[in-house]
Amino acid sequence: MLILWAALSGACFALIPVAINMAAGRNVEPRHLLMVAMPLCALVMLPGALVHPAPLVVWLTGIGIGGAQFGAIMALRWGLRFGPMAPLWCAQLLGFVVAVLWCWWNWSEELTVGRLIAVLAAVASVIAAAWQVGGNGNSARRSIVPYAVALVAVWLLNGATNAAFKELSMQPCGESGNLMSVYGDLLLVLMYATIGIGAAADLVWRPARAPVVATIGYAAMLAGGSLGGLALLRWCLSAPASLVFTINTASSLLAAIALAWLFWRERPTLTGWISLACALVAVMAAAW
């Protein structure tokens, strides 16, 4: 059942790049979406956050991952000036490797043969998806360095967030809970609030207008993807990181490819089909 929740979580997360990409076509920037979506997400999680007074580590972690996620979104936006959305989203998905390695090193989580194959297949899937950026002529080759910087930034920032989620789920709290299960709602409220404050500050610094109706619609899609993905992911964090995050990553990649074809008729290239095949291998190997 945990594998199913992890897969559904990844499918929900795939709605986020779709919302950002669709909004861009209506002159709606990511920061506009965040200004609407993040307060909405925080309000949804607020009732659960008021139940227990949380220790300082939860507050600091929530603010920290909020800053990391805002930085990842800004790096993604900047990277779109030099290349397509799909590889950037794949780089964000690749952040799961950071959590897997952290749990292996810090918590001695076992990497079985199947899980190791799954991790390697997921990495290969992401690399294959990102490889296409270098094959679109001279302009693509000139932009490969800044685009690569954006890819690395997105990867590291999202990886730090995944590792923080898993770390809190490993810290005991009470008789049968952990910091994530007890204080997860507050953690997410702090994360969403930090992202929203960052977006507001960015808009004050560089004002821009956006159509109201389109902003609300795409922000609701982004909020739904984030809330659904994180809610399902929290149910799975008790399982090994190499299982949960690999399934989550492969599912999100498959969903993103399917949605790109559905909305924009983006047919996979040769490297796209390789990426798809590796993602399927990752799912099957992780379940092995």
Side-chain angles (χ1 to χ4, degrees), residues 144-174:
I144 191 64
V145 173
Y147 191 73
V149 171
L151 287 169
V152 172
V154 169
W155 171 56
L156 290 177
L157 290 168
N158 197 59
T161 299
N162 289 337
F165 282 149
K166 184 61 180 176
E167 178 68 22
L168 288 183
S169 73
M170 300 294 286
Q171 298 288 345
C173 180

mmCIF file of all heavy atoms in Angstrom, residues 144-174:
data_model
loop_
_atom_site.group_PDB
_atom_site.id
_atom_site.type_symbol
_atom_site.label_atom_id
_atom_site.label_comp_id
_atom_site.label_asym_id
_atom_site.label_seq_id
_atom_site.Cartn_x
_atom_site.Cartn_y
_atom_site.Cartn_z
ATOM 1 N N ILE A 144 23.847 26.357 -22.366
ATOM 2 C CA ILE A 144 23.940 25.132 -21.580
ATOM 3 C C ILE A 144 24.569 25.379 -20.216
ATOM 4 O O ILE A 144 24.208 24.737 -19.232
ATOM 5 C CB ILE A 144 24.722 24.040 -22.350
ATOM 6 C CG1 ILE A 144 24.588 22.675 -21.664
ATOM 7 C CG2 ILE A 144 26.181 24.430 -22.503
ATOM 8 C CD1 ILE A 144 23.182 22.147 -21.639
ATOM 9 N N VAL A 145 25.533 26.339 -20.098
ATOM 10 C CA VAL A 145 26.195 26.576 -18.811
ATOM 11 C C VAL A 145 25.232 27.164 -17.787
ATOM 12 O O VAL A 145 25.081 26.611 -16.685
ATOM 13 C CB VAL A 145 27.444 27.462 -18.984
ATOM 14 C CG1 VAL A 145 28.021 27.843 -17.615
ATOM 15 C CG2 VAL A 145 28.504 26.740 -19.805
ATOM 16 N N PRO A 146 24.552 28.277 -18.079
ATOM 17 C CA PRO A 146 23.592 28.775 -17.085
ATOM 18 C C PRO A 146 22.444 27.800 -16.832
ATOM 19 O O PRO A 146 21.936 27.710 -15.709
ATOM 20 C CB PRO A 146 23.088 30.091 -17.686
ATOM 21 C CG PRO A 146 23.412 30.009 -19.130
ATOM 22 C CD PRO A 146 24.646 29.199 -19.234
ATOM 23 N N TYR A 147 22.057 27.074 -17.861
ATOM 24 C CA TYR A 147 20.992 26.086 -17.685
ATOM 25 C C TYR A 147 21.456 24.968 -16.757
ATOM 26 O O TYR A 147 20.698 24.492 -15.904
ATOM 27 C CB TYR A 147 20.598 25.514 -19.044
ATOM 28 C CG TYR A 147 19.328 24.687 -19.013
ATOM 29 C CD1 TYR A 147 18.086 25.299 -18.877
ATOM 30 C CD2 TYR A 147 19.375 23.305 -19.122
ATOM 31 C CE1 TYR A 147 16.924 24.540 -18.844
ATOM 32 C CE2 TYR A 147 18.228 22.541 -19.098
ATOM 33 C CZ TYR A 147 16.994 23.163 -18.961
ATOM 34 O OH TYR A 147 15.845 22.417 -18.919
ATOM 35 N N ALA A 148 22.727 24.556 -16.912
ATOM 36 C CA ALA A 148 23.274 23.522 -16.035
ATOM 37 C C ALA A 148 23.339 24.007 -14.587
ATOM 38 O O ALA A 148 23.082 23.247 -13.655
ATOM 39 C CB ALA A 148 24.664 23.106 -16.516
ATOM 40 N N VAL A 149 23.669 25.291 -14.400
ATOM 41 C CA VAL A 149 23.696 25.868 -13.052
ATOM 42 C C VAL A 149 22.299 25.798 -12.428
ATOM 43 O O VAL A 149 22.136 25.441 -11.259
ATOM 44 C CB VAL A 149 24.194 27.326 -13.091
ATOM 45 C CG1 VAL A 149 24.014 27.989 -11.725
ATOM 46 C CG2 VAL A 149 25.663 27.367 -13.510
ATOM 47 N N ALA A 150 21.293 26.128 -13.213
ATOM 48 C CA ALA A 150 19.916 26.059 -12.718
ATOM 49 C C ALA A 150 19.535 24.626 -12.372
ATOM 50 O O ALA A 150 18.877 24.373 -11.353
ATOM 51 C CB ALA A 150 18.953 26.627 -13.768
ATOM 52 N N LEU A 151 19.948 23.676 -13.202
ATOM 53 C CA LEU A 151 19.652 22.267 -12.939
ATOM 54 C C LEU A 151 20.252 21.811 -11.601
ATOM 55 O O LEU A 151 19.585 21.161 -10.792
ATOM 56 C CB LEU A 151 20.197 21.390 -14.066
ATOM 57 C CG LEU A 151 19.452 21.421 -15.405
ATOM 58 C CD1 LEU A 151 20.268 20.719 -16.483
ATOM 59 C CD2 LEU A 151 18.079 20.783 -15.293
ATOM 60 N N VAL A 152 21.513 22.175 -11.368
ATOM 61 C CA VAL A 152 22.190 21.770 -10.132
ATOM 62 C C VAL A 152 21.543 22.429 -8.920
ATOM 63 O O VAL A 152 21.344 21.797 -7.876
ATOM 64 C CB VAL A 152 23.690 22.114 -10.208
ATOM 65 C CG1 VAL A 152 24.364 21.870 -8.862
ATOM 66 C CG2 VAL A 152 24.378 21.285 -11.286
ATOM 67 N N ALA A 153 21.197 23.724 -9.047
ATOM 68 C CA ALA A 153 20.579 24.438 -7.931
ATOM 69 C C ALA A 153 19.234 23.811 -7.559
ATOM 70 O O ALA A 153 18.939 23.588 -6.376
ATOM 71 C CB ALA A 153 20.400 25.908 -8.292
ATOM 72 N N VAL A 154 18.423 23.534 -8.562
ATOM 73 C CA VAL A 154 17.126 22.915 -8.310
ATOM 74 C C VAL A 154 17.302 21.549 -7.650
ATOM 75 O O VAL A 154 16.581 21.195 -6.711
ATOM 76 C CB VAL A 154 16.330 22.793 -9.628
ATOM 77 C CG1 VAL A 154 15.107 21.919 -9.444
ATOM 78 C CG2 VAL A 154 15.910 24.174 -10.122
ATOM 79 N N TRP A 155 18.272 20.785 -8.139
ATOM 80 C CA TRP A 155 18.531 19.440 -7.604
ATOM 81 C C TRP A 155 18.922 19.491 -6.131
ATOM 82 O O TRP A 155 18.356 18.782 -5.300
ATOM 83 C CB TRP A 155 19.631 18.779 -8.430
ATOM 84 C CG TRP A 155 20.127 17.492 -7.851
ATOM 85 C CD1 TRP A 155 19.376 16.395 -7.544
ATOM 86 C CD2 TRP A 155 21.460 17.180 -7.491
ATOM 87 N NE1 TRP A 155 20.184 15.401 -7.021
ATOM 88 C CE2 TRP A 155 21.459 15.867 -6.970
ATOM 89 C CE3 TRP A 155 22.667 17.876 -7.561
ATOM 90 C CZ2 TRP A 155 22.619 15.236 -6.526
ATOM 91 C CZ3 TRP A 155 23.823 17.249 -7.127
ATOM 92 C CH2 TRP A 155 23.791 15.950 -6.612
ATOM 93 N N LEU A 156 19.886 20.339 -5.793
ATOM 94 C CA LEU A 156 20.387 20.399 -4.423
ATOM 95 C C LEU A 156 19.337 20.941 -3.453
ATOM 96 O O LEU A 156 19.175 20.418 -2.342
ATOM 97 C CB LEU A 156 21.643 21.263 -4.369
ATOM 98 C CG LEU A 156 22.897 20.677 -5.019
ATOM 99 C CD1 LEU A 156 24.043 21.684 -4.961
ATOM 100 C CD2 LEU A 156 23.301 19.377 -4.345
ATOM 101 N N LEU A 157 18.625 21.983 -3.849
ATOM 102 C CA LEU A 157 17.641 22.585 -2.948
ATOM 103 C C LEU A 157 16.478 21.641 -2.670
ATOM 104 O O LEU A 157 16.022 21.509 -1.528
ATOM 105 C CB LEU A 157 17.138 23.904 -3.538
ATOM 106 C CG LEU A 157 18.168 25.042 -3.552
ATOM 107 C CD1 LEU A 157 17.671 26.203 -4.408
ATOM 108 C CD2 LEU A 157 18.476 25.514 -2.138
ATOM 109 N N ASN A 158 15.997 20.979 -3.702
ATOM 110 C CA ASN A 158 14.913 20.028 -3.479
ATOM 111 C C ASN A 158 15.398 18.794 -2.723
ATOM 112 O O ASN A 158 14.675 18.222 -1.905
ATOM 113 C CB ASN A 158 14.294 19.598 -4.813
ATOM 114 C CG ASN A 158 12.936 18.962 -4.641
ATOM 115 O OD1 ASN A 158 12.011 19.565 -4.115
ATOM 116 N ND2 ASN A 158 12.809 17.712 -5.055
ATOM 117 N N GLY A 159 16.641 18.389 -2.968
ATOM 118 C CA GLY A 159 17.202 17.262 -2.237
ATOM 119 C C GLY A 159 17.311 17.544 -0.753
ATOM 120 O O GLY A 159 17.035 16.665 0.083
ATOM 121 N N ALA A 160 17.695 18.773 -0.394
ATOM 122 C CA ALA A 160 17.775 19.143 1.016
ATOM 123 C C ALA A 160 16.401 19.068 1.677
ATOM 124 O O ALA A 160 16.279 18.651 2.842
ATOM 125 C CB ALA A 160 18.347 20.558 1.146
ATOM 126 N N THR A 161 15.362 19.443 0.947
ATOM 127 C CA THR A 161 14.008 19.370 1.489
ATOM 128 C C THR A 161 13.588 17.927 1.747
ATOM 129 O O THR A 161 13.045 17.596 2.803
ATOM 130 C CB THR A 161 13.014 20.037 0.520
ATOM 131 O OG1 THR A 161 13.371 21.413 0.357
ATOM 132 C CG2 THR A 161 11.590 19.952 1.045
ATOM 133 N N ASN A 162 13.836 17.059 0.776
ATOM 134 C CA ASN A 162 13.505 15.641 0.951
ATOM 135 C C ASN A 162 14.237 15.041 2.144
ATOM 136 O O ASN A 162 13.658 14.278 2.937
ATOM 137 C CB ASN A 162 13.858 14.861 -0.319
ATOM 138 C CG ASN A 162 12.929 15.164 -1.469
ATOM 139 O OD1 ASN A 162 11.806 15.604 -1.270
ATOM 140 N ND2 ASN A 162 13.397 14.936 -2.691
ATOM 141 N N ALA A 163 15.523 15.372 2.273
ATOM 142 C CA ALA A 163 16.307 14.844 3.385
ATOM 143 C C ALA A 163 15.772 15.346 4.721
ATOM 144 O O ALA A 163 15.750 14.596 5.711
ATOM 145 C CB ALA A 163 17.777 15.240 3.221
ATOM 146 N N ALA A 164 15.327 16.607 4.766
ATOM 147 C CA ALA A 164 14.779 17.159 6.011
ATOM 148 C C ALA A 164 13.486 16.462 6.406
ATOM 149 O O ALA A 164 13.262 16.149 7.585
ATOM 150 C CB ALA A 164 14.546 18.665 5.849
ATOM 151 N N PHE A 165 12.612 16.203 5.433
ATOM 152 C CA PHE A 165 11.371 15.471 5.715
ATOM 153 C C PHE A 165 11.680 14.095 6.311
ATOM 154 O O PHE A 165 11.088 13.681 7.309
ATOM 155 C CB PHE A 165 10.550 15.290 4.440
ATOM 156 C CG PHE A 165 9.788 16.510 4.016
ATOM 157 C CD1 PHE A 165 9.535 16.761 2.682
ATOM 158 C CD2 PHE A 165 9.309 17.412 4.947
ATOM 159 C CE1 PHE A 165 8.827 17.878 2.286
ATOM 160 C CE2 PHE A 165 8.588 18.529 4.569
ATOM 161 C CZ PHE A 165 8.355 18.771 3.230
ATOM 162 N N LYS A 166 12.599 13.397 5.680
ATOM 163 C CA LYS A 166 12.931 12.054 6.140
ATOM 164 C C LYS A 166 13.598 12.093 7.507
ATOM 165 O O LYS A 166 13.336 11.240 8.362
ATOM 166 C CB LYS A 166 13.838 11.375 5.108
ATOM 167 C CG LYS A 166 14.172 9.923 5.449
ATOM 168 C CD LYS A 166 12.929 9.049 5.519
ATOM 169 C CE LYS A 166 13.289 7.615 5.862
ATOM 170 N NZ LYS A 166 12.097 6.760 6.019
ATOM 171 N N GLU A 167 14.455 13.079 7.731
ATOM 172 C CA GLU A 167 15.143 13.197 9.016
ATOM 173 C C GLU A 167 14.141 13.386 10.151
ATOM 174 O O GLU A 167 14.254 12.739 11.209
ATOM 175 C CB GLU A 167 16.124 14.369 8.972
ATOM 176 C CG GLU A 167 16.877 14.621 10.268
ATOM 177 C CD GLU A 167 17.856 13.520 10.625
ATOM 178 O OE1 GLU A 167 18.263 12.771 9.709
ATOM 179 O OE2 GLU A 167 18.212 13.411 11.815
ATOM 180 N N LEU A 168 13.163 14.252 9.964
ATOM 181 C CA LEU A 168 12.158 14.464 11.010
ATOM 182 C C LEU A 168 11.327 13.209 11.240
ATOM 183 O O LEU A 168 10.886 12.944 12.366
ATOM 184 C CB LEU A 168 11.251 15.636 10.642
ATOM 185 C CG LEU A 168 11.868 17.031 10.730
ATOM 186 C CD1 LEU A 168 10.822 18.092 10.412
ATOM 187 C CD2 LEU A 168 12.476 17.298 12.101
ATOM 188 N N SER A 169 11.095 12.441 10.187
ATOM 189 C CA SER A 169 10.317 11.208 10.351
ATOM 190 C C SER A 169 11.095 10.143 11.106
ATOM 191 O O SER A 169 10.508 9.172 11.596
ATOM 192 C CB SER A 169 9.891 10.664 8.984
ATOM 193 O OG SER A 169 10.983 10.094 8.294
ATOM 194 N N MET A 170 12.404 10.317 11.227
ATOM 195 C CA MET A 170 13.236 9.354 11.942
ATOM 196 C C MET A 170 13.461 9.751 13.399
ATOM 197 O O MET A 170 14.004 8.977 14.182
ATOM 198 C CB MET A 170 14.595 9.213 11.239
ATOM 199 C CG MET A 170 14.515 8.743 9.793
ATOM 200 S SD MET A 170 13.894 7.061 9.619
ATOM 201 C CE MET A 170 15.321 6.127 10.170
ATOM 202 N N GLN A 171 13.084 10.973 13.759
ATOM 203 C CA GLN A 171 13.289 11.454 15.122
ATOM 204 C C GLN A 171 12.061 11.118 15.973
ATOM 205 O O GLN A 171 10.972 11.601 15.704
ATOM 206 C CB GLN A 171 13.517 12.973 15.121
ATOM 207 C CG GLN A 171 14.747 13.426 14.364
ATOM 208 C CD GLN A 171 16.028 13.075 15.080
ATOM 209 O OE1 GLN A 171 16.034 12.730 16.265
ATOM 210 N NE2 GLN A 171 17.145 13.147 14.358
ATOM 211 N N PRO A 172 12.213 10.283 17.019
ATOM 212 C CA PRO A 172 11.058 9.882 17.830
ATOM 213 C C PRO A 172 10.464 11.041 18.600
ATOM 214 O O PRO A 172 11.155 11.980 18.992
ATOM 215 C CB PRO A 172 11.655 8.835 18.779
ATOM 216 C CG PRO A 172 13.113 9.160 18.843
ATOM 217 C CD PRO A 172 13.475 9.702 17.491
ATOM 218 N N CYS A 173 9.161 10.958 18.805
ATOM 219 C CA CYS A 173 8.447 11.982 19.561
ATOM 220 C C CYS A 173 7.263 11.310 20.253
ATOM 221 O O CYS A 173 6.352 10.809 19.585
ATOM 222 C CB CYS A 173 7.980 13.112 18.645
ATOM 223 S SG CYS A 173 7.075 14.425 19.475
ATOM 224 N N GLY A 174 7.247 11.306 21.565
ATOM 225 C CA GLY A 174 6.170 10.637 22.280
ATOM 226 C C GLY A 174 6.366 9.131 22.282
ATOM 227 O O GLY A 174 7.443 8.608 21.979
#
